[in-house]
Amino acid sequence: EQRAAVLETEKAEIKDRMLRIAAEFDNYKKRTRKDMAEHETKVREMVLREFLEIADNLERAIASWKLGGGEDIKSVQDGVELVLRLFKSKLERYSVTAIEAKGQPFDPRVHDAISQSPSTEVTPGTVLHELQKGYRVGERLLRPAIVVVASAPPATSPATGNDGQGAGT
């Protein structure tokens, strides 16, 4: 009977310890979720601040163009090219790189073909035109390139009529 009382006490202590561990684990999960959400928010804000700098530069370029009466197109072009270089450098900071498409063999993993165009200049299956650049973040695909792919030109029958299909009567 005394042994049973000791076992009952041990059982109650173990149950209490297990309930505390379960509560600590539940709190840990909640804390981890909250920390992850805060981290995600901070990273998003950091990236957005980078893009706000680009927007500021574009707004300055437009304001400068308006002040100049829209006459100096070369300075506007130079300003836009400068902002584009800034934008590309910020993308590189986040390991974002453009996917080479034009002249490359079509690859459905990184290219999204929206049409085909007959061509005698390149091998069928080669990307003829890039309508929208594709990008990667590190090794992961961020966005596929939208492309037009070369197809074989339509076969034309020779004017002599010797195409093997019996061109006469």
Side-chain angles (χ1 to χ4, degrees):
E1 185 173 305
Q2 192 175 17
R3 175 88 173 128
V6 170
L7 289 175
E8 225 17 76
T9 304
E10 284 181 14
K11 178 180 157 190
E13 288 173 4
I14 291 173
K15 182 179 178 184
D16 185 51
R17 205 173 327 149
M18 287 179 62
L19 288 173
R20 268 196 304 265
I21 290 171
E24 287 175 12
F25 183 67
D26 194 42
N27 289 336
Y28 168 78
K29 287 193 315 187
K30 289 175 185 175
R31 205 171 40 252
T32 302
R33 271 192 226 113
K34 181 182 174 198
D35 290 349
M36 287 176 64
E38 286 177 16
H39 178 71
E40 184 179 325
T41 299
K42 286 179 182 178
V43 168
R44 185 181 305 122
E45 288 172 355
M46 182 178 69
V47 171
L48 291 173
R49 273 192 297 277
E50 298 274 349
F51 288 99
L52 289 176
E53 184 180 342
I54 294 166
D56 292 342
N57 285 325
L58 287 171
E59 287 172 349
R60 280 192 281 278
I62 290 170
S64 172
W65 187 36
K66 286 179 180 177
L67 284 175
E71 296 172 6
D72 191 4
I73 296 296
K74 177 67 176 139
S75 68
V76 172
Q77 180 183 357
D78 291 345
V80 170
E81 287 175 354
L82 183 68
V83 173
L84 183 59
R85 280 196 303 275
L86 172 67
F87 183 74
K88 286 180 177 180
S89 75
K90 289 187 179 298
L91 288 177
E92 287 173 8
R93 185 179 303 161
Y94 292 99
S95 301
V96 176
T97 54
I99 296 170
E100 289 297 319
K102 189 172 181 180
Q104 300 295 314
F106 174 74
D107 183 348
R109 295 172 298 167
V110 294
H111 302 139
D112 187 7
I114 61 164
S115 68
Q116 292 186 339
S117 180
S119 175
T120 57
E121 297 173 16
V122 296
T123 308
T126 301
V127 174
L128 273 180
H129 306 289
E130 179 182 65
L131 303 175
Q132 185 179 65
K133 279 192 177 297
Y135 291 92
R136 291 178 191 214
V137 176
E139 294 299 314
R140 292 178 58 108
L141 181 67
L142 181 62
R143 178 180 82 184
I146 298 176
V147 298
V148 175
V149 179
S151 62
T156 57
S157 58
T160 62
N162 290 336
D163 61 359
Q165 294 183 2
T169 53

